[in-house]
């Protein structure tokens, strides 16, 4: 049972345009969401996160939107740059009184290619 | 840089042999995690630790064991390697405790089981 899904395996965008990466989840207990970026032969790098008490979080060119009723989150990158080309993973976790130990459940990843 | 190193970075081994991967951190964090990354699956949690000698199973723990005898080291052992365990293995630490869930990853170990 895939609790976190990224249904688009790949996305191609022109430099300067907006990149929108999507993620859906099924577990209603999830209350904290994260995005990671991964370059080949490197470990994933934390990008941005959002708590379920918010619907938007912004950090420079990166904005994450959360729609709890639809169990959907998205990552917007504006403007997109060639250096943003990487695999992007969304992840989710829950607190549950501290018993979750911060375990993350990841989506399958989306390969973003930004063309010059 | 989260001060995480993994060793070895690459390993080729034969089916049926035991293999141990090491994760070392320099920042004294309580929580440590082992994930594997496979195409079409993203990252999946194998085992995690919430303190010295405190470990528990993750989503895909069959065939793996872990040990944490000191804060800085978290070892992952494949008791008898199989071809299905060919993967890239990542270790991660969690810097915060309550309310902070960001994990920071090491560079990974690419394991090939022939």
């Amino acid at each position: 049972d895939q609790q976190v899904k990224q249904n688009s395996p790949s996305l191609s965008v022109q430099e300067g345009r907006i990149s929108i990466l999507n993620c859906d989840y099924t577990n209603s207990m999830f209350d904290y969401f994260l995005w990671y970026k991964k370059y080949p032969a490197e470990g994933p790098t934390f990008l941005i996160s959002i708590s379920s008490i918010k619907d938007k979080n912004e950090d420079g060119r990166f904005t994450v939107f959360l729609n709890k009723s639809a169990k959907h989150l998205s990552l917007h990158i504006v403007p997109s740059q060639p250096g943003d080309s990487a695999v992007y993973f969304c992840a989710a976790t829950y607190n549950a009184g501290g018993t979750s130990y911060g375990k993350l459940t990841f989506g399958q990843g989306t390969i973003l290619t930004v063309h010059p | 840089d989260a001060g995480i190193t993994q060793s070895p970075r690459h390993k080729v081994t034969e089916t049926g042999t035991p293999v141990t991967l090491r994760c070392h951190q320099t920042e004294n964090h309580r929580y440590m995690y082992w994930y594997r990354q496979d195409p079409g699956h993203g990252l999946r949690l194998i085992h995690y630790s919430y303190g010295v000698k405190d470990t528990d199973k993750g989503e895909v723990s069959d065939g793996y064991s872990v040990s944490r005898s000191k804060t800085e080291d978290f070892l992952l052992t494949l008791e008898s390697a199989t071809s299905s365990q060919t993967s890239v293995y990542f270790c991660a630490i969690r810097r915060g405790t309550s309310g902070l869930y960001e994990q920071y990853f090491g560079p990974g170990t690419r394991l090939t089981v022939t």
Side-chain angles (χ1 to χ4, degrees):
Chain A
D1 176 29
Q2 189 85 28
Q3 297 185 64
V4 178
K5 295 182 182 179
Q6 294 175 255
N7 292 316
S8 298
S10 63
L11 175 68
S12 183
V13 171
Q14 206 67 31
E15 181 179 7
R17 299 290 186 100
I18 184 171
S19 295
I20 300 176
L21 297 103
N22 294 304
C23 181
D24 297 297
Y25 62 96
T26 57
N27 189 338
S28 299
M29 291 183 64
F30 288 144
D31 58 9
Y32 199 84
F33 305 88
L34 308 92
W35 284 94
Y36 284 83
K37 178 170 73 173
K38 186 184 179 306
Y39 293 120
E42 295 183 10
T45 302
F46 169 70
L47 203 52
I48 192 169
S49 61
I50 187 167
S51 164
S52 61
I53 63 174
K54 297 184 177 181
D55 54 18
K56 176 183 173 181
N57 189 27
E58 195 171 351
D59 184 0
R61 296 187 297 115
F62 303 91
T63 303
V64 56
F65 295 92
L66 175 62
N67 182 333
K68 289 186 290 294
S69 61
K71 294 189 176 67
H72 177 84
L73 63 153
S74 61
L75 175 68
H76 293 211
I77 306 173
V78 183
S80 302
Q81 299 172 354
D84 296 329
S85 297
V87 180
Y88 288 79
F89 293 100
C90 66
T93 187
Y94 59 92
N95 186 14
T99 60
S100 75
Y101 298 104
K103 295 177 289 183
L104 297 181
T105 301
F106 284 83
Q108 308 97 307
T110 297
I111 301 170
L112 173 66
T113 304
V114 180
H115 298 282
Chain B
D1 182 4
I4 306 169
T5 57
Q6 292 185 232
S7 58
R9 293 293 314 279
H10 301 271
K11 186 169 183 66
V12 180
T13 192
E14 293 184 350
T15 299
T17 60
V19 176
T20 295
L21 309 183
R22 180 182 183 236
C23 177
H24 179 78
Q25 58 143 330
T26 59
E27 299 179 349
N28 211 36
H29 297 292
R30 177 183 174 191
Y31 294 94
M32 298 184 75
Y33 309 83
W34 276 107
Y35 294 88
R36 59 178 289 175
Q37 186 199 359
D38 304 288
H41 291 279
L43 286 90
R44 292 180 292 175
L45 182 65
I46 306 171
H47 280 278
Y48 63 99
S49 170
Y50 45 96
V52 173
K53 292 186 168 45
D54 291 323
T55 66
D56 205 348
K57 296 178 180 180
E59 179 188 358
V60 290
S61 60
D62 286 349
Y64 301 95
S65 62
V66 289
S67 66
R68 193 164 178 205
S69 59
K70 44 187 178 177
T71 300
E72 57 265 36
D73 289 326
F74 192 29
L75 304 181
L76 176 71
T77 297
L78 288 66
E79 292 136 12
S80 178
T82 67
S83 58
S84 64
Q85 293 176 312
T86 292
S87 186
V88 182
Y89 292 85
F90 291 102
C91 172
I93 59 95
R94 177 183 162 198
R95 282 204 171 121
T97 52
S98 174
L100 294 173
Y101 299 100
E102 289 79 10
Q103 292 181 18
Y104 296 85
F105 287 80
T109 294
R110 181 172 292 276
L111 177 68
T112 303
V113 184
T114 61

